[in-house]
Structures are given as structure tokens and as C-alpha cells.
């Protein structure tokens, strides 16, 4: 796809690209507002998956035959494309992983190997469990200390507290770019600058940002950036860890196996160079190729028009929700992405979610894998509507009517 | 009424609803009617943690029959609990331990009892059956003694 001339942003036409959106659930047209959990896939990606398995399937990096070379070159072309998309210095900085969780675990294990007892890791109070638990495990293993940057009621990281926590003991700051539960967009560029002042490295959890904004790792100057393919219109089981080359070079391999070695003898094994050092075993080849296709698909559009449309959707939904009595929006930062998390006094999110489902509306309910955050707000969970660029105001109207009906039944 | 007859009766009750929302309206009503478990009995050992909603279950055994009281923080969960209690309460432990709760499937609510649903209901049924089994074994040994 040529990305220099941007495709006109037409929601109606975009919807045509996503076959999963054209279905009925319990006899109602599906309204898919669970994009924060995973996104639907465009035909462009589906065709690429089909093409790979029906024509190009072969193992990579090891065959002299035609198909193996073709698969290898497509896989590596995808890596190159992703590197360019993120504005990485080189494609050696792009490690294919299983997803965000896998990327964070890789860093916790491998970068974690370089840490010493007493050194500190900072995370924020709004992190997803996958950006909490790997660090807790690392701290247990190495005697490092995990510190939590507090947030305010609006759902924003308290920057003063962050600055106070930073010290020469801080070795890593791991924060989410966008909160999956609240929608808050964190000021990561400034946070990265502050961390670098004390010499700490920064990992950005981009699971919720890659699909909503342009990511430029050079401009951000982050040390690591992780995301999942499935949340950005690509396949499940594939993701990316971006890491600065010098840093990745210093880190020991994560897993051992084929592909990650240069030479193996029973006495000593030498490891392959980047990025292969971190990619042991046969990778998710179709996933790697098709994640590139997903980003290519997204790259046809001007990201600003996507952002504008998504912001309009979220503002529209939030304004309408606030007309209901006893409605609480959880996450009230001025800087938010297209996530609206809410709870109605006296109504359990599970009940609301169940009734919305029966009206054909897919939302997420519960703690969204951010239990400490729910504890902070003293709520069992929220109902979360998360929008993608293929959603419409008409869908929100239907959603609001369904919320109204549900409240009527549950109050 | 036998346990089997009670299941049949519920299936008949639900047969009049052909719309999901009506079905849920009825379940919510059942949830509201459920005699709730006393606050002081909502203790840690009676809690069944689900990922989505919480359930409290109090089981007792008297005069050869099992008795259940339960509650949930979610009203739909509570309504389904109401149905389960209607079927299983005041029944002999041996009947409870071996019963097949097929009515849930027949009224289309089996998704709520699937172990992946994580609302605590699947664990609740398991716990009800386990306490019935426990009553059975203590009952046996008491009779033998
Ligand atoms: C902010 C955030 N971090 C991490 C993850 C984990 O992503 P995955 O399950 O794809 O590894 C998610 C997804 O739910 C997320 O929203």
C-alpha cells in the first residue's frame, strides 16, 4: 500500500473493510465497543493470513528453497516496515514477541538480569496486571524494589510524586502510554526525560496507544516500547518489543533454542546477533507478516483524522452518559483516548454488561486487569466502552438507548 | 415436588418468554425476591470470588435435608442463584450430589454457569454439591455409630 497519498477518511467505507462488523448477535446488529480488549481485523489482513498459509507457508531463516526464502523475506520486510513505522533507528531494534505481556516479561527477565538488589523499578498506579506482575516477580528474584507512582482522582499520574520517587536508585520506569481502564493519555515524553535525568531507563506499555496515535520512538526517546498486534487490527499471538540497540546488545538472551544461536557446542554456545538473539524457535511467521499488513492498513489514513473521529465519539458518548442520574465516569483526565469507563450507583457492572450484551452491544465489564486501580476507586469494576475508528455516532445512540433500558430494569 | 419436577417447572416458567430482555427482567425480579443471607454471615469463608461478581453461600444440613442461602453483589447473578436454590434447597444430599442441573441449559442460561464465565456461579454449584457430599459422609458415620 502506498502511504504517501492518504486515503480519504470515510467511516462508512472503513466499515466495509471489516467483515466481523457485519453480523447480528441475538438478532441485533453487532455494536462492537470492546476495542480496548481487542480490535476487529480488516479484509486486507485476513487476505494476507490466507495468502500466507495457502501459498507461502515455509519455515524461515533456514531453507535454501524458494518458499523458505520468500517467507523469510516477507517476515523481514515486515520487521523493516514496523521499524520505519515506529521511526526506529534500525530493524535490529524490532523484536517479534507474542504480545505486550510477552515483551514486558522479556525485558523483566533479560534487562532484569542486569539489575542488583536494592535497585528500584517505578510503575504507576494505573498499570495493567501485565505491567505489574513481571516486575513483582523480578523483585522477588533479584531483591529489587518496586515503587508505585500515585494517581489523582481524575486518573492522572501525579507528576510531583513521580519526580520525588526518581533517584539514582531508579533503574527502570515502566508506565503505560494510555490507561486501558481510564483512557488517560500519560505525558510520557516528559516522563521519559525526567527518568533519563537520573539515568533510569523507560519502558512504555503501548498496548493502548499504537492503534490511536502515531508512535515515534526516536522522538519519545523511550528505551523500550511494547505492543500487541491484536489490538492494532492484526493477529493475536504476535507483538513487538522495540528496544534501543545498545541496550538490547547488553542484555542476555531471554529463551534458548533454534534461531537465536550462532554456534552450538556442548562446551559453549555463542548467541546470534540482534534481533535474532531474542527470537528463539520458529516464530509466529504469519503473525509477523500480517502485523506489518495491519500497520500498513492503518498507515493509509492520516492519523489526525482517526484521532479526531475517535475523540468525537468518546466526547459524544460521555456527554450522553452524563445525562443519566447517578452516573459516574471513571477517568476524567482532560487528555483521554476513546475509552469511556463508567459505573452507575446501585448497579453492578456485571449486570449492565449482561443486559447490554443481550441488546447486541459488546462492552467490557469488570476490573480490566487493573485490580489495584479499582481498589483505588473503591469499586468492583466498571463498564467500559472503547471505540475504534470504525465506530459511529449512530452506534452510540443505540448504545445509550440500551444503557437507559438497562438502568430502567436494574434500578 | 422432586428435584426433577422443580427443574421442569422452571423450564415451563421460562417458556413464555421469547425475548432475552423479558427473560432477564424475570431473573432480576427473582434476584430481588431472594431472601438474602444475613450480613453477619457474609464472612470470608462463605465468599466465592468470581472475576466479575461475588457470591456468598451458606449451606446447612438438618433433618436429612440440605439448606442453602446465598447472595451476590450482582442482581442477575442473584436471580440465577435464586433458581439454583429453588431446585436444590430442601433436598436430600444424595440427590443433590448426583443431580444434573439440565434446566440451566434448557432456559438458555448455561453461559452463566460455564467455568470461563468467572462470576462465581460454577464454583457455587460445585460448593453446594461438595457440602451435600460432606453431609452424606457425616450422616453415614453418625448412623453407623
Ligand atoms: C495497557 C495494557 N497493557 C498490557 C495489556 C496486555 O496485552 P496482551 O494481553 O495482548 O499481552 C493490555 C491488554 O489488555 C493493556 O490494555
Amino acid at each position: 500500500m502506498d502511504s504517501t497519498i492518504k486515503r480519504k477518511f470515510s467511516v462508512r467505507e472503513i466499515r466495509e473493510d471489516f467483515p466481523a462488523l457485519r453480523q447480528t448477535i441475538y438478532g441485533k446488529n453487532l455494536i462492537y465497543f470492546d476495542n480496548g480488549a481487542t480490535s476487529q481485523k480488516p479484509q486486507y489482513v485476513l487476505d494476507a493470513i490466507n495468502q500466507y498459509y495457502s501459498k507461502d507457508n515455509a519455515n524461515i531463516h533456514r531453507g535454501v528453497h524458494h518458499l523458505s526464502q520468500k517467507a523469510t523475506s516477507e517476515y523481514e520486510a515486515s520487521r523493516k516496515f514496523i521499524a520505519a513505522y515506529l521511526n526506529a533507528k534500525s530493524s535490529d531494534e524490532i523484536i517479534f514477541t507474542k504480545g505486550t505481556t510477552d515483551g514486558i516479561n522479556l525485558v523483566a527477565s533479560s534487562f532484569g538480569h542486569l539489575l542488583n538488589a536494592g535497585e528500584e523499578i517505578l510503575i504507576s498506579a494505573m498499570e495493567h496486571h501485565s505491567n505489574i506482575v513481571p516486575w513483582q516477580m523480578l523483585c522477588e528474584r533479584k531483591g529489587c524494589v518496586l515503587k508505585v507512582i500515585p494517581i489523582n482522582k481524575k486518573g492522572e499520574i501525579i507528576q510531583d510524586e513521580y519526580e520525588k520517587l526518581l533517584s539514582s536508585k531508579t533503574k527502570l520506569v515502566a508506565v503505560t502510554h494510555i490507561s486501558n481502564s481510564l483512557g488517560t493519555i500519560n505525558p510520557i515524553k516528559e516522563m521519559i526525560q525526567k527518568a533519563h535525568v537520573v539515568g533510569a531507563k523507560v519502558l512504555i506499555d503501548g498496548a493502548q496507544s499504537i492503534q490511536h496515535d502515531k508512535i515515534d520512538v526516536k522522538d519519545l526517546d523511550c528505551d523500550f516500547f511494547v505492543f500487541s498486534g491484536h489490538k492494532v487490527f492484526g493477529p493475536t499471538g504476535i507483538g513487538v518489543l522495540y528496544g534501543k540497540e545498545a541496550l538490547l546488545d547488553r542484555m542476555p538472551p531471554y529463551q534458548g533454542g533454534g534461531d537465536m544461536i550462532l554456534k552450538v557446542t556442548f562446551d559453549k554456545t555463542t548467541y546470534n546477533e540482534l534481533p535474532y538473539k531474542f527470537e528463539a524457535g520458529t516464530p509466529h511467521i504469519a503473525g509477523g507478516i500480517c502485523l506489518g499488513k495491519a500497520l500498513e492498513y492503518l498507515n493509509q489514513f492520516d492519523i489526525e483524522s482517526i484521532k479526531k473521529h475517535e475523540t468525537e465519539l468518546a466526547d459524544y458518548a460521555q456527554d450522553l452518559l452524563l445525562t443519566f442520574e447517578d452516573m459516574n465516569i471513571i477517568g476524567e483526565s482532560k487528555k483521554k483516548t476513546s475509552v469511556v469507563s463508567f459505573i452507575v450507583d446501585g448497579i453492578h457492572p456485571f449486570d449492565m454488561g449482561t443486559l447490554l450484551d443481550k441488546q447486541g452491544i459488546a462492552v467490557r465489564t469488570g476490573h480490566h486487569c487493573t485490580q489495584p486501580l479499582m481498589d483505588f476507586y473503591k469499586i468492583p469494576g466498571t463498564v467500559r466502552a472503547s471505540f475504534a475508528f470504525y465506530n459511529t455516532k449512530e452506534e452510540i445512540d443505540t448504545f445509550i438507548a440500551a444503557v437507559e433500558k438497562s438502568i430502567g430494569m436494574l434500578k | 415436588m422432586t428435584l426433577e419436577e422443580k427443574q421442569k417447572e422452571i423450564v415451563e416458567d421460562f417458556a413464555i418468554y421469547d425475548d432475552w430482555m423479558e427473560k432477564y427482567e424475570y431473573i432480576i425480579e427473582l434476584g430481588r425476591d431472594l431472601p438474602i443471607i444475613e450480613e453477619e454471615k457474609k464472612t470470608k469463608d462463605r465468599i466465592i470470588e468470581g472475576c466479575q461478581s461475588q457470591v456468598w453461600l451458606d449451606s446447612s444440613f438438618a433433618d436429612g435435608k440440605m439448606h442453602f442461602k446465598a447472595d451476590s453483589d450482582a442482581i442477575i447473578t442473584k436471580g440465577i442463584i435464586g433458581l439454583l436454590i429453588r431446585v436444590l434447597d430442601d433436598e436430600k444430599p444424595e440427590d443433590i450430589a448426583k443431580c444434573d442441573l439440565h434446566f440451566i441449559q434448557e432456559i438458555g442460561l448455561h453461559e452463566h454457569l460455564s467455568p470461563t464465565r468467572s462470576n462465581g456461579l460454577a464454583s457455587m454449584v460445585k460448593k453446594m454439591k461438595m457440602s451435600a457430599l460432606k453431609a452424606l459422609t457425616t450422616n453415614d458415620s453418625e448412623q453407623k455409630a
Side-chain angles (χ1 to χ4, degrees):
Chain A
M1 276 190 189
D2 181 2
S3 66
T4 47
I5 312 153
K6 294 291 177 187
R7 178 173 154 189
K8 183 173 85 37
F9 185 81
S10 154
V11 177
R12 198 181 48 77
E13 283 171 23
I14 290 169
R15 290 183 70 83
E16 295 288 311
D17 295 342
F18 289 81
L21 298 176
R22 297 191 291 273
Q23 60 183 311
T24 54
I25 306 287
Y26 312 112
K28 310 262 179 5
N29 287 329
L30 166 69
I31 293 183
Y32 189 76
F33 285 172
D34 196 17
N35 296 286
T38 197
S39 61
Q40 299 301 343
K41 320 300 170 203
Q43 195 62 49
Y44 186 65
V45 169
L46 299 175
D47 287 345
I49 295 172
N50 197 27
Q51 162 76 23
Y52 175 76
Y53 283 116
S54 50
K55 293 267 172 61
D56 306 335
N57 177 51
N59 211 331
I60 55 172
H61 300 144
R62 30 189 107 168
V64 291
H65 61 82
H66 174 79
L67 274 190
S68 172
Q69 300 214 340
K70 186 161 186 230
T72 306
S73 74
E74 290 206 21
Y75 190 70
E76 292 307 325
S78 177
R79 193 195 304 273
K80 269 212 174 76
F81 179 81
I82 295 167
Y85 187 83
L86 298 176
N87 198 23
K89 209 172 67 200
S90 102
S91 55
D92 292 348
E93 298 183 316
I94 303 299
I95 315 290
F96 281 120
T97 63
K98 286 188 286 187
T100 307
T101 306
D102 192 37
I104 296 172
N105 276 283
L106 190 162
V107 175
S109 164
S110 185
F111 176 77
H113 193 77
L114 308 174
L115 300 186
N116 301 301
E119 294 180 331
E120 295 176 358
I121 298 159
L122 301 190
I123 59 173
S124 85
M126 65 172 83
E127 298 308 316
H128 188 281
H129 294 164
S130 65
N131 199 25
I132 302 174
V133 185
W135 307 119
Q136 289 175 327
M137 290 163 64
L138 169 63
C139 287
E140 250 174 52
R141 202 165 65 238
K142 298 281 281 193
C144 301
V145 182
L146 187 63
K147 298 213 159 162
V148 183
I149 317 160
I151 60 171
N152 61 27
K153 277 278 164 201
K154 280 200 264 179
E156 299 163 325
I157 292 176
I158 305 172
Q159 292 298 320
D160 285 352
E161 298 292 332
Y162 171 50
E163 286 169 28
K164 275 189 228 157
L165 284 170
L166 282 171
S167 76
S168 58
K169 277 192 276 180
T170 317
K171 293 301 156 196
L172 184 77
V173 177
V175 285
T176 192
H177 190 176
I178 294 182
S179 156
N180 64 311
S181 301
L182 307 169
T184 313
I185 304 172
N186 289 316
I188 53 166
K189 194 170 169 183
E190 293 75 39
M191 291 183 71
I192 292 164
Q193 283 170 349
K194 288 175 191 170
H196 286 168
V197 167
V198 298
K201 305 296 181 202
V202 182
L203 176 141
I204 299 298
D205 174 351
Q208 296 293 340
S209 63
I210 186 85
Q211 63 281 52
H212 296 298
D213 208 347
K214 185 77 194 132
I215 303 299
D216 182 332
V217 290
K218 218 176 269 162
D219 178 55
L220 287 172
D221 199 25
C222 54
D223 301 284
F224 302 106
F225 187 94
V226 289
F227 66 91
S228 303
H230 69 97
K231 291 185 201 275
V232 62
F233 318 108
T236 52
I238 189 79
V240 163
L241 160 67
Y242 156 82
K244 282 184 185 164
E245 192 171 349
L247 197 51
L248 291 176
D249 264 334
R250 275 173 50 211
M251 288 158 49
Y254 177 39
Q255 292 173 328
D259 257 9
M260 54 77 73
I261 45 85
L262 269 188
K263 188 170 170 55
V264 178
T265 66
F266 285 117
D267 291 331
K268 180 156 180 64
T269 291
T270 46
Y271 304 127
N272 205 339
E273 54 204 32
L274 287 176
Y276 312 113
K277 182 171 98 177
F278 290 109
E279 294 181 359
T282 299
H284 185 359
I285 305 167
I289 294 172
C290 297
L291 172 52
K293 298 291 175 197
L295 291 173
E296 256 180 46
Y297 175 83
L298 187 61
N299 200 37
Q300 302 173 86
F301 303 99
D302 172 18
I303 198 85
E304 291 306 319
S305 24
I306 292 179
K307 262 162 71 178
K308 181 165 166 284
H309 175 67
E310 290 179 341
T311 308
E312 274 171 20
L313 291 178
D315 289 347
Y316 185 65
Q318 186 156 322
D319 287 349
L320 287 172
L321 281 172
L322 280 170
T323 60
F324 295 114
E325 249 175 68
D326 302 326
M327 172 65 68
N328 308 282
I329 302 287
I330 308 296
E332 297 173 289
S333 174
K334 285 261 173 315
K335 288 214 153 113
K336 261 178 73 168
T337 186
S338 51
V339 165
V340 184
S341 235
F342 64 96
I343 182 162
V344 183
D345 294 342
I347 295 183
H348 198 286
F350 170 79
D351 292 327
M352 176 69 79
T354 303
L355 293 185
L356 291 177
D357 170 53
K358 290 295 178 280
Q359 297 172 83
I361 298 165
V363 292
R364 175 99 187 259
T365 65
H367 54 59
H368 318 296
C369 299
T370 53
Q371 269 175 340
L373 183 61
M374 299 298 117
D375 293 344
F376 172 75
Y377 285 105
K378 297 189 175 58
I379 50 178
T382 72
V383 182
R384 180 189 71 183
S386 50
F387 311 112
F389 62 172
Y390 43 60
N391 290 125
T392 66
K393 282 193 178 172
E394 290 71 37
E395 287 181 307
I396 291 175
D397 289 335
T398 311
F399 161 70
I400 291 293
V403 170
E404 185 169 18
K405 181 161 184 174
S406 309
I407 291 177
M409 285 168 70
L410 293 166
K411 272 269 174 178
Chain B
M1 213 185 300
T2 66
L3 200 151
E4 201 45 51
E5 284 165 349
K6 285 194 269 184
Q7 295 207 59
K8 237 176 112 195
E9 190 186 62
I10 293 175
V11 174
E12 279 161 19
D13 283 355
F14 271 82
I16 57 168
Y17 305 116
D18 45 22
D19 176 69
W20 270 110
M21 294 309 272
E22 286 176 6
K23 236 186 235 186
Y24 273 99
E25 207 137 8
Y26 179 57
I27 293 166
I28 291 164
E29 242 175 76
L30 291 173
R32 293 195 206 288
D33 292 345
L34 188 73
I36 53 167
I37 197 167
E38 299 84 353
E39 275 309 311
E40 68 269 19
K41 281 201 172 162
K42 285 188 181 172
T43 51
K44 269 224 149 62
D45 55 319
R46 292 192 180 88
I47 232 177
I48 300 167
E49 298 250 21
C51 191
Q52 297 268 356
S53 55
Q54 273 185 355
V55 172
W56 292 266
L57 174 71
D58 181 38
S59 325
S60 55
F61 178 60
D63 305 326
K65 301 267 182 77
M66 290 302 297
H67 297 281
F68 299 107
K69 275 189 183 170
D71 201 349
S72 171
D73 51 353
I75 191 88
I76 291 175
T77 308
K78 224 167 127 177
I80 298 167
I81 288 175
L83 292 172
L84 289 167
I85 290 189
R86 192 162 134 196
V87 172
L88 298 179
D89 190 52
D90 206 29
E91 292 292 341
K92 288 197 231 111
E94 53 266 40
D95 294 338
I96 293 172
K98 63 169 203 280
C99 81
D100 168 23
L101 295 166
H102 55 82
F103 80 99
I104 285 283
Q105 171 90 27
E106 283 159 44
I107 62 179
L109 291 178
H110 46 285
E111 64 183 61
H112 289 286
L113 276 179
S114 100
T116 56
R117 187 73 186 191
S118 58
N119 53 10
L121 278 176
S123 318
M124 184 182 112
V125 171
K126 184 171 153 206
K127 222 168 165 180
M128 287 167 119
K129 291 195 167 192
M130 287 299 176
S131 55
L133 270 181
K134 202 166 148 216
L136 257 183
T137 42
T138 43
N139 202 25
D140 275 358
S141 52
E142 268 166 29
Q143 277 174 1
K144 274 185 204 124

